């Protein structure tokens, strides 16, 4: 996926054009909604590594669909005094996020716009994360968000404790967001999204096609090890290089523990994550300021965060 700053620029421009006067704090929040499952899963995996990574991956796949992004949008929109308009901003932003993600090349990965009707991954594969379009989008995104923060007030008066009826709707959406995914695990598993079905059925792997997206490859003295999201160590054949790093690759299992790679792409390490951390930091500052301003005893009107 393009980083968070890239999303800020493209989604901010399109949303402000489609919904004139749309509030920046909601626009930028929409930029991260489809990533929320993957942020949570990264934390959970660091805190509690285990053999249940496949189910965690399925959970993230389902929650990152447009349908579940809309559920999360509904849960958040009720905290606005204009919940219908805010839901529109969040849902539109989620759809834009997924479409922008689909422009980047991903192996065994993509976006799901029509689940649960279809679990076919959408991936246009126009460019890799390290290529020029990502850099252009990132620079544009940073320039756009700084310009908007300078020129457009961050509103806070629309934040409110939702009335009982709206709170119930939001709570229902949030409950579905967290408890419904397991009931849909069959979809991405049957479609072998992220090569999940292949990785789960260890004994039947031989001869099966296999792909990974942005996973570590370690070149040792006498062997090469590829680690998929399951955390297991797969021995690699068919790769003559001697460079360790983060790779996307595809190939075929020759036995349950060995994969012969037919194609491999080396990524530019973890530098791709830095613009996302910066974007999430900016988003957090905007929202902390808005909440602080809303809770102040004296209402002094809209202003820029300082």
């Amino acid at each position: 996926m393009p980083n968070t700053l890239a999303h800020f620029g493209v989604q901010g421009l399109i949303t402000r054009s489609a919904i004139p006067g749309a509030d920046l704090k909601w626009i930028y929040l929409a930029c991260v909604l489809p990533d929320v499952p993957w942020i949570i899963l990264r934390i959970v995996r660091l805190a509690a590594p285990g053999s249940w990574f496949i189910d965690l991956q399925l959970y993230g796949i389902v929650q990152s669909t447009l349908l579940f992004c809309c559920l999360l949008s509904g849960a958040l929109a009720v905290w606005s005094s204009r919940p219908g308009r805010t839901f529109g901003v969040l849902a539109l932003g989620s759809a834009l996020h997924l479409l922008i993600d689909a422009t980047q090349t991903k192996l065994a990965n993509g976006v799901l716009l029509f689940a649960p009707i279809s679990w076919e991954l959408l991936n246009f594969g126009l460019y890799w994360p390290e290529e020029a379009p990502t850099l252009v989008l990132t620079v544009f995104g940073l320039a756009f968000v700084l310009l908007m923060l300078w020129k457009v007030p961050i509103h806070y008066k629309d934040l409110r404790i939702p009335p009982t009826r709206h709170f119930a709707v939001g709570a229902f959406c949030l409950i579905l967001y967290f408890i419904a995914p397991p009931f849909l695990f069959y979809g991405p598993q049957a479609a072998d999204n992220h090569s999940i079905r292949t990785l789960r059925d260890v004994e039947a792997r031989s001869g099966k096609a296999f792909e990974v997206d942005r996973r570590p490859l370690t070149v040792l003295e006498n062997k090469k090890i590829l680690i998929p999201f399951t955390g297991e160590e797969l021995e690699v054949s068919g790769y003559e290089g001697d460079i360790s790093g983060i790779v996307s690759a595809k190939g075929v299992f020759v036995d349950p523990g060995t994969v012969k790679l037919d194609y491999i792409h080396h990524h530019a390490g973890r530098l791709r994550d830095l613009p996302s951390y910066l974007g999430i930091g900016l988003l957090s500052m905007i929202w902390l300021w808005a909440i602080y301003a809303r809770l102040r005893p004296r209402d002094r009107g809209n202003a820029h965060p300082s």
Side-chain angles (χ1 to χ4, degrees):
M1 65 180 181
N3 58 66
T4 304
L5 286 180
H7 284 289
F8 279 179
V10 179
Q11 291 180 228
L13 181 62
I14 295 176
T15 303
R16 292 279 294 186
S17 299
I19 307 176
D23 189 9
L24 292 176
K25 68 179 183 296
W26 294 110
I27 292 175
Y28 295 145
L29 183 61
C31 292
V32 303
L33 291 191
D35 291 336
V36 167
W38 305 118
I39 295 171
I40 295 174
L41 261 59
R42 179 175 292 191
I43 295 171
V44 170
R45 283 173 172 163
L46 291 174
S51 59
W52 38 293
F53 278 2
I54 287 180
D55 288 331
L56 280 176
Q57 194 79 2
L58 285 167
Y59 202 96
I61 291 172
V62 174
Q63 280 193 323
S64 63
T65 63
L66 180 58
L67 173 63
F68 276 76
C69 289
C70 288
L71 285 176
L72 186 55
S73 298
L76 294 170
V78 299
W79 296 86
S80 166
S81 59
R82 304 179 69 182
R85 178 183 173 87
T86 300
F87 174 78
V89 170
L90 294 175
L92 172 62
S94 296
L96 290 172
H97 180 118
L98 294 173
L99 286 171
I100 294 167
D101 279 358
T103 63
Q104 266 192 352
T105 302
K106 302 179 183 72
L107 299 182
N109 204 341
V111 303
L112 293 162
L113 292 178
F114 307 110
I117 297 172
S118 170
W119 293 97
E120 182 178 354
L121 292 169
L122 180 65
N123 184 349
F124 302 128
L126 301 180
Y127 55 95
W128 287 102
E130 300 79 18
E131 293 180 341
T134 300
L135 177 60
V136 171
L137 291 174
T138 301
V139 173
F140 171 71
L142 179 59
F144 182 87
V145 71
L146 292 178
L147 178 64
M148 289 296 100
L149 288 175
W150 178 50
K151 294 187 62 176
V152 180
I154 300 297
H155 300 285
Y156 61 86
K157 290 183 179 180
D158 66 316
L159 297 178
R160 53 113 190 228
I161 301 296
T164 303
R165 179 168 60 89
H166 289 173
F167 182 85
V169 171
F172 178 71
C173 289
L174 192 62
I175 290 170
L176 281 181
Y177 181 78
F178 283 108
I179 70 170
F183 296 98
L184 297 173
F185 280 3
Y186 69 89
Q189 181 162 284
D192 205 21
N193 295 162
H194 300 207
S195 293
I196 277 182
R197 185 177 60 190
T198 301
L199 288 169
R200 187 189 287 277
D201 196 354
V202 176
E203 297 304 319
R205 286 176 178 176
S206 299
K208 296 285 186 65
F210 169 69
E211 296 183 4
V212 291
D213 178 52
R214 296 189 57 83
R215 298 303 307 167
L217 172 70
T218 302
V219 177
L220 304 176
E221 185 176 346
N222 58 350
K223 63 180 178 180
K224 302 173 178 70
I225 300 297
L226 179 64
I227 303 177
F229 68 83
T230 55
E232 63 183 305
E233 295 185 353
L234 299 175
E235 190 164 348
V236 170
S237 68
Y239 171 59
E240 302 302 327
D242 58 358
I243 301 175
S244 298
I246 304 299
V247 304
S248 291
K250 60 182 177 181
V252 177
F253 274 102
V254 295
D255 63 51
T258 306
V259 60
K260 181 180 183 299
L261 296 184
D262 303 316
Y263 177 82
I264 186 167
H265 174 82
H266 283 269
H267 293 282
R270 299 287 183 183
L271 292 177
R272 165 185 174 273
D273 294 336
L274 294 180
S276 289
Y277 295 148
L278 177 57
I280 291 172
L282 285 171
L283 176 66
S284 300
M285 290 174 60
I286 289 170
W287 271 91
L288 286 173
W289 181 88
I291 293 171
Y292 164 75
R294 189 67 182 89
L295 294 177
R296 281 185 305 182
R298 297 180 61 189
D299 186 355
R300 299 175 183 175
N302 296 341
H304 293 278
S306 57

